[in-house]
Amino acid sequence: MINLDYRDKRPLYEQITEKFENLISSGALGADEQLPSVRQLAMELSINPNTIQRSYMELEKKNIIYSIKGKGNFVTSDTEAIRRIKTENLMTDARNLALKAAELNVPLALFVKEFEKSYLTARGDARDD
Amino acid sequence: MINLDYRDKRPLYEQITEKFENLISSGALGADEQLPSVRQLAMELSINPNTIQRSYMELEKKNIIYSIKGKGNFVTSDTEAIRRIKTENLMTDARNLALKAAELNVPLALFVKEFEKSYLTARGDARDD
Amino acid sequence: MINLDYRDKRPLYEQITEKFENLISSGALGADEQLPSVRQLAMELSINPNTIQRSYMELEKKNIIYSIKGKGNFVTSDTEAIRRIKTENLMTDARNLALKAAELNVPLALFVKEFEKSYLTARGDARDD
Amino acid sequence: MINLDYRDKRPLYEQITEKFENLISSGALGADEQLPSVRQLAMELSINPNTIQRSYMELEKKNIIYSIKGKGNFVTSDTEAIRRIKTENLMTDARNLALKAAELNVPLALFVKEFEKSYLTARGDARDD
DNA sequence: GTGGTCTAGACCACC
DNA sequence: GTGGTCTAGACCACG
């Protein structure tokens, strides 16, 4: 379900947080579905449970999951809201990138082509996510 | 010439490095022009000279400036090299963004359209580049 | 593991960087193996941790090692990359030496012959590489 | 006669010293020939006379030139000795490089070819030295 | 005056 | 415990 990239400069808890956000906003994890337990996931990834705990804490703070003591952690009911937020963030990134490209006079076609190539490769190669 | 943003999470030396990259790639600092001295700029920004030194070191490693002991730091004469570097960085950003978009199932067309809109607006508004 | 030569004119951090490059490219340090911690090595060599830190930073920029905050520094899994870098450095040295030889009017044949002799001797004596 | 390379990391005085050594050992400056005066050369290169002074001092210390107060600086009589020393240094460099190449398993042919290419280019392109 | 290296020591984030 | 950033201050080489 989750793969860690140890070469990524970001802290582990941030990687994990983002992975769950993506799983939820892409629909792989549906509304009110239960997340893996802290201990189980920690064992699976062979990392410290504290790290998972911190990820879940952050997700809860962002209202993406809710926790029930003694039962576990669950995806919030309104997954569509999450999807909207993530998409909007991405669009903002796209706009900023476009501004930079324009500033540097990088031809639009060149840029879009590179973008499409990566997109299609990712969709084709990563069916095992 | 340079302003620091202490709310920015990135380290100071990285901010400074980027500021100079922009000043140079935009032409505000021309070929073989001298950069402010390490000590002077440190005083101006009221930070430690070592921090400036580190920025200059990074810029030199990237072949954006060259340093002469006892004289100072100077913009490389090959300003085209700077443009190449910045363009390559941009392409990498594009690829990363594409990966995220694919992961979130954001339709490619939607993305490209938003992108083009921003790009063309920027080009239309900023003919004086 | 590492010995410093205080008579060497090069800065300490450069000596350390080179020593690790050799340890890795010779296979003494294998893929994903952990390097000594910044503080520990600093103590061992009785030098300042910042100096070690700088070496490790340079190694990381060259993609020879990768660092994980809170865990340590590790040899890159792509050890072949290291060989590529060292080979490229060697080629550059060869080119520079050729320029000097040309400037001094040292006959090419003489030079190449001396070179080949050393090379073949080294290969003959050191089959255990 | 002398060209400075401001991008060279070595100090200016060292560059100048080496240039004179080469001019002498390649025969461009013959035995007992007079070197340009400190002031004149400093003006010509638009650098500080102290820098030239230091170069000449080093050359004198190495017994490559001798100075006569009130008259100027002159090439030593035995220029052949200089040529021998420079050539031997170069040969040592060649041997060291060969050892490294052997250690890294860089094929000999590849190496020699790169070397010859640079050598011939330098001889062909730089007739104006 | 300039850049470059190094030390000593602090504080933060991460695990 | 780990790495990463920054400060304060020193000393050297260069011009």
Side-chain angles (χ1 to χ4, degrees):
Chain A
M1 198 174 210
I2 302 269
N3 278 309
L4 293 177
D5 176 5
Y6 278 103
R7 303 216 212 110
D8 195 325
K9 297 301 299 176
R10 291 174 306 168
L12 289 181
Y13 79 87
E14 202 174 311
Q15 281 187 56
I16 297 167
T17 305
E18 198 199 23
K19 282 278 165 59
F20 274 113
E21 287 180 4
N22 290 345
L23 285 172
I24 293 168
S25 88
S26 74
L29 274 175
D32 295 309
E33 203 167 329
Q34 182 166 8
L35 274 68
S37 87
V38 170
R39 284 177 199 139
Q40 182 202 324
L41 186 55
M43 240 178 52
E44 202 178 313
L45 302 177
S46 31
I47 62 175
N48 194 311
N50 288 335
T51 308
I52 309 288
Q53 190 60 269
R54 178 153 181 190
S55 286
Y56 283 7
M57 210 184 62
E58 303 250 321
L59 287 167
E60 197 177 2
K61 216 186 298 174
K62 289 189 190 181
N63 290 319
I64 291 174
I65 66 171
Y66 58 94
S67 78
I68 304 180
K69 263 194 190 144
K71 292 204 71 177
N73 291 275
F74 302 85
V75 176
T76 190
S77 333
D78 186 8
T79 56
E80 185 52 34
I82 297 163
R83 180 174 176 71
R84 248 180 289 127
I85 290 168
K86 294 286 287 185
T87 304
E88 190 41 55
N89 286 343
L90 222 57
M91 287 306 183
T92 306
D93 288 350
R95 276 190 291 272
N96 288 334
L97 207 54
L99 294 184
K100 280 195 195 174
E103 212 172 288
L104 283 171
N105 283 321
V106 176
L108 180 59
L110 186 75
F111 206 88
V112 169
K113 198 177 149 194
E114 188 76 11
F115 187 87
E116 290 182 340
K117 208 177 70 184
S118 277
Y119 185 93
L120 295 174
T121 306
R123 300 282 291 186
D125 291 355
R127 285 271 174 251
D128 58 339
D129 275 0
Chain B
M1 198 174 210
I2 302 272
N3 279 309
L4 294 177
D5 176 6
Y6 279 100
R7 291 165 313 178
D8 196 325
K9 279 163 294 180
R10 291 177 307 164
L12 293 180
Y13 76 87
E14 207 173 306
Q15 285 184 52
I16 296 166
T17 304
E18 198 201 23
K19 285 275 165 59
F20 273 112
E21 284 180 3
N22 290 340
L23 283 173
I24 292 168
S25 82
S26 77
L29 275 174
D32 293 310
E33 200 166 333
Q34 183 164 8
L35 276 67
S37 90
V38 171
R39 288 164 172 83
Q40 183 201 323
L41 185 56
M43 246 179 49
E44 208 171 288
L45 302 177
S46 16
I47 63 174
N48 191 289
N50 281 335
T51 306
I52 308 288
Q53 176 74 3
R54 181 159 179 188
S55 285
Y56 282 8
M57 198 187 70
E58 305 243 314
L59 288 167
E60 192 178 12
K61 282 251 164 82
K62 289 190 190 181
N63 288 319
I64 290 175
I65 67 172
Y66 60 96
S67 79
I68 306 177
K69 254 193 197 158
K71 295 204 73 175
N73 288 275
F74 303 85
V75 176
T76 186
S77 24
D78 181 13
T79 51
E80 186 53 32
I82 300 160
R83 206 175 163 283
R84 268 198 304 273
I85 291 168
K86 299 218 65 150
T87 303
E88 190 40 56
N89 287 344
L90 217 62
M91 287 305 187
T92 305
D93 287 350
R95 277 189 289 272
N96 288 335
L97 200 57
L99 294 184
K100 275 198 196 173
E103 203 173 355
L104 286 175
N105 282 320
V106 176
L108 180 57
L110 185 74
F111 215 93
V112 170
K113 201 176 145 195
E114 186 76 11
F115 189 83
E116 289 181 342
K117 209 176 69 186
S118 276
Y119 185 92
L120 295 173
T121 308
R123 299 283 290 186
D125 292 354
R127 280 274 175 245
D128 58 340
D129 276 0
Chain C
M1 197 174 210
I2 301 272
N3 280 308
L4 294 177
D5 177 5
Y6 281 100
R7 293 164 313 176
D8 196 326
K9 279 164 294 184
R10 290 176 309 163
L12 294 179
Y13 75 88
E14 207 173 306
Q15 284 185 52
I16 297 167
T17 304
E18 199 202 21
K19 285 275 167 60
F20 275 111
E21 285 179 2
N22 289 341
L23 283 172
I24 293 169
S25 81
S26 77
L29 276 174
D32 294 310
E33 202 166 331
Q34 183 163 9
L35 277 66
S37 90
V38 171
R39 289 164 172 82
Q40 182 201 324
L41 186 55
M43 245 179 48
E44 209 171 289
L45 303 177
S46 19
I47 62 175
N48 191 291
N50 282 335
T51 306
I52 308 288
Q53 176 76 1
R54 181 157 178 190
S55 285
Y56 283 6
M57 198 188 70
E58 306 243 314
L59 288 167
E60 192 178 13
K61 282 250 164 82
K62 290 189 191 181
N63 288 319
I64 291 175
I65 66 171
Y66 60 95
S67 79
I68 307 177
K69 254 194 199 159
K71 295 204 73 177
N73 288 275
F74 304 85
V75 176
T76 186
S77 22
D78 181 13
T79 52
E80 186 53 31
I82 299 160
R83 207 176 162 281
R84 268 199 303 274
I85 291 167
K86 298 220 65 152
T87 302
E88 190 40 57
N89 288 344
L90 219 60
M91 287 305 187
T92 305
D93 288 349
R95 277 189 290 272
N96 288 334
L97 201 58
L99 295 184
K100 276 197 195 174
E103 203 173 355
L104 286 174
N105 282 321
V106 176
L108 180 57
L110 186 72
F111 213 89
V112 169
K113 201 177 146 193
E114 186 76 12
F115 188 84
E116 289 182 341
K117 209 176 67 185
S118 277
Y119 185 92
L120 295 173
T121 308
R123 299 281 291 184
D125 292 354
R127 280 274 175 248
D128 57 338
D129 277 0
Chain D
M1 196 174 211
I2 303 267
N3 278 309
L4 294 177
D5 176 6
Y6 279 103
R7 303 216 211 109
D8 196 324
K9 298 301 299 176
R10 290 176 307 168
L12 290 181
Y13 79 88
E14 203 174 310
Q15 280 186 57
I16 296 166
T17 305
E18 198 200 23
K19 282 276 162 62
F20 274 113
E21 287 180 3
N22 290 345
L23 286 171
I24 292 168
S25 87
S26 74
L29 274 174
D32 295 310
E33 203 166 330
Q34 182 165 10
L35 275 67
S37 86
V38 171
R39 283 176 200 141
Q40 182 201 325
L41 187 55
M43 241 180 50
E44 202 179 313
L45 302 176
S46 28
I47 62 174
N48 195 310
N50 288 335
T51 308
I52 310 289
Q53 190 60 269
R54 179 155 182 186
S55 286
Y56 282 7
M57 208 182 63
E58 304 249 322
L59 287 167
E60 197 178 2
K61 216 185 300 174
K62 290 189 190 182
N63 290 318
I64 290 174
I65 66 173
Y66 59 95
S67 79
I68 303 178
K69 263 192 190 146
K71 294 203 71 176
N73 292 274
F74 302 86
V75 176
T76 191
S77 331
D78 186 7
T79 55
E80 186 52 34
I82 298 163
R83 181 174 174 70
R84 248 180 289 127
I85 291 167
K86 293 287 286 186
T87 304
E88 190 42 54
N89 286 344
L90 222 58
M91 287 306 183
T92 306
D93 288 349
R95 277 190 290 272
N96 288 334
L97 204 55
L99 294 184
K100 279 197 196 171
E103 211 173 290
L104 284 171
N105 283 320
V106 178
L108 180 59
L110 187 75
F111 210 89
V112 170
K113 199 176 148 195
E114 188 77 12
F115 188 85
E116 290 182 340
K117 209 177 69 184
S118 276
Y119 184 92
L120 295 174
T121 307
R123 301 281 291 187
D125 291 355
R127 284 270 176 251
D128 57 340
D129 274 2

